[in-house]
Amino acid sequence: MQMKKLYGGIEAGGTKFVCVIASGPSHIVDEIRFKTTTPDETLGRAIKFFQPFISSGQINTIGVGCFGPLDVTPESPTYGFIAATPKPGWSNTNVLGILRGALGIKIAFDTDVNVAGLGEYKWGVSQGYDPSLYLTIGTGIGGGYIKEGRPLVGLLSPEMGHLRIPHDRELDPFQGACPYHGDCFEGLAAGPAVEARLGQRGETLPDDHPFWDVEAGYIASALVNYVLSLAPQRIIIGGGVMQKSSMFPTVRTKVQELLNNYINHDVVLNKIDEYIVPPALGGRAGMLGAIALIMDSGK
Amino acid sequence: MQMKKLYGGIEAGGTKFVCVIASGPSHIVDEIRFKTTTPDETLGRAIKFFQPFISSGQINTIGVGCFGPLDVTPESPTYGFIAATPKPGWSNTNVLGILRGALGIKIAFDTDVNVAGLGEYKWGVSQGYDPSLYLTIGTGIGGGYIKEGRPLVGLLSPEMGHLRIPHDRELDPFQGACPYHGDCFEGLAAGPAVEARLGQRGETLPDDHPFWDVEAGYIASALVNYVLSLAPQRIIIGGGVMQKSSMFPTVRTKVQELLNNYINHDVVLNKIDEYIVPPALGGRAGMLGAIALIMDSGK
């Protein structure tokens, strides 16, 4: 009997870490989840989880999808570092360096959204859709653009949550919550912006609250910009905000209204339910994407 | 003496056509320019120009960069057609089919901006910059994104002129001139929008007219969105509007202000003059890009 090669994967999120040993979604050997606390403690737990699998020769590579802002330019002196972040203790943490130093094996490293997009492309809802866009709307907003099986990296890894979009201050006088850009997309539509505006977390707001229509308008504006610039064959949106029952239908309708038949393509005009979709891997996209990242590295 | 292989190129613009026989910028054998009139007359002149070079065996392939909106999806039944356009007589013209039918040789076909971006990448100011973005701001606004030597095509060829951007109606009450989207980027900032707003063509407006500062703001907003989504290593901007003496410096400064140190990269923070640049090939980017397109096709 031939054994499938095993890989290590880390979904390094700002809220929780998931570490996994797997060869793919149908073969997960071990998995742990724990809260993200200090870098020392959190990375220490990850290292401790992987060490026995490395010592026994079961794995010799790990993929990591990490929260940011992250330096993912291999030529950069701070490659693998988390840059300035409001997450206490994590600013300027050399995540990749600490893991490599402790584990001594090959590690592939990318942003959480790039890695989740890769997971959906390899095993999820964007299989066969090239290029595809994975977007998450939660505490922050980020996007990963997967082209020919690889996340786009240019001058930097895209930071598409911070897009400048129309903001009707009569409809929504909120000034925006982004410390850099005020009322950019993330500043208007991410979780902290919802909470700052309404005094309660989005999760506790009823599904039929009128604000969700405003929120859907911001998401639709940003999606229109992604469609026009990046021309994805499929758009996957994850994150807490999209759990609201009316959000996908409203966003889809608004995207069609805003494009106003300009994009003369069947999938936009008639099959938008198949164009703007939720993730298939759900909460497992991150950890499976980390496996996909390391499986495909060096190809 | 070895002769360099010759290629045909067509810059098929909405205002003028340029047809060229060349092996590259340093070896142009013949070239004609003429006004874009009806499809029959205009394509007929192009065909007549190329026929002797084909009969004599001097060329056996042609590259075409064409104005749009254009269908550049090879699988589409209207591949190579110009779609609905305000340009009289050109709606639903099968440009590629007419040229292929008359000339009987291999023809590579793409949008004018993709082809101009390719020309700049092969012989101009974006040589070695991957990915790069070529933007033109004139009668319309369009962009070509060149990644690994090829223009990005996904669900469609990008239509990034129609981006949704912030529009301060107190500062600029103009409602926008785009027939599809009103105050999208093109609807606010392309030539017809300038003329509709001020009652005179931008070319006749003094370089120090206060409107140019508003215009620069729209361009900067769009550039910020391209930087955040597409992460180009260099941005080239052509077209009439950028000829205004203060436009490049003002746009660069506004891009830095809007990004507000969020993009922690030397070229954005300290060398923006090298990041946002005019084309090197100027009026020759289109015709040379058409040569580059056919030279590299099939690679």
Side-chain angles (χ1 to χ4, degrees), chain A residues 147-148 150 152 154-156 158-159 162 164 180-181 221 225 228-231 233 258-260 262-263, chain B residues 147-148 150 152 154-156 158-159 162-164 180-181 221 225 228 230-231 233 258-260 262-263:
Chain A
K147 179 92 172 79
E148 292 167 15
R150 284 179 301 155
L152 171 70
L155 182 72
L156 41 81
E159 288 286 352
H162 293 262
R164 290 176 58 71
Y180 288 91
H181 313 116
S221 270
N225 287 356
L228 295 170
S229 302
L230 296 163
Q233 300 276 5
L258 290 172
L259 285 172
N260 193 22
Y262 184 73
I263 298 299
Chain B
K147 178 92 172 80
E148 290 166 17
R150 285 178 301 156
L152 172 70
L155 183 72
L156 41 81
E159 287 285 353
H162 292 262
L163 233 55
R164 289 176 60 70
Y180 289 91
H181 314 116
S221 271
N225 286 356
L228 295 169
L230 296 162
Q233 300 274 6
L258 290 173
L259 284 172
N260 192 23
Y262 184 72
I263 299 298

Side-chain angles (χ1 to χ4, degrees), chain B residues 36-206:
Chain B
T36 307
T37 57
T38 63
D40 275 0
E41 185 181 36
T42 313
L43 295 172
R45 289 186 76 166
I47 289 161
K48 209 171 150 195
F49 171 78
F50 288 111
Q51 270 164 343
F53 294 98
I54 296 168
S55 308
S56 66
Q58 290 180 272
I59 64 164
N60 61 7
T61 50
I62 289 177
V64 182
C66 188
F67 74 103
L70 207 64
D71 185 339
V72 291
T73 308
E75 301 78 29
S76 164
T78 53
Y79 173 57
F81 281 59
I82 290 178
T85 167
K87 182 85 190 158
W90 285 86
S91 290
N92 307 311
T93 297
N94 184 358
V95 175
L96 179 59
I98 291 169
L99 292 172
R100 278 192 177 150
L103 297 173
I105 59 172
K106 180 183 168 187
I107 298 178
F109 193 79
D110 212 327
T111 67
D112 46 6
V113 281
N114 278 349
V115 161
L118 208 53
E120 290 289 344
Y121 179 73
K122 194 164 184 82
W123 291 303
V125 75
S126 46
Q127 281 179 77
Y129 291 83
D130 181 34
S132 66
L133 175 66
Y134 178 92
L135 197 68
T136 179
I137 306 174
T139 312
I141 300 181
Y145 181 65
I146 312 298
K147 178 92 172 80
E148 290 166 17
R150 285 178 301 156
L152 172 70
V153 179
L155 183 72
L156 41 81
S157 201
E159 287 285 353
M160 56 182 89
H162 292 262
L163 233 55
R164 289 176 60 70
I165 55 172
H167 172 201
D168 180 344
R169 286 171 188 273
E170 282 181 40
L171 178 71
D172 176 23
F174 181 63
Q175 80 277 15
C178 174
Y180 289 91
H181 314 116
D183 63 348
C184 67
F185 178 34
E186 178 171 301
L188 288 169
V194 177
E195 192 175 347
R197 189 190 271 112
L198 298 167
Q200 64 182 103
R201 293 174 58 86
E203 296 90 315
T204 67
L205 213 61

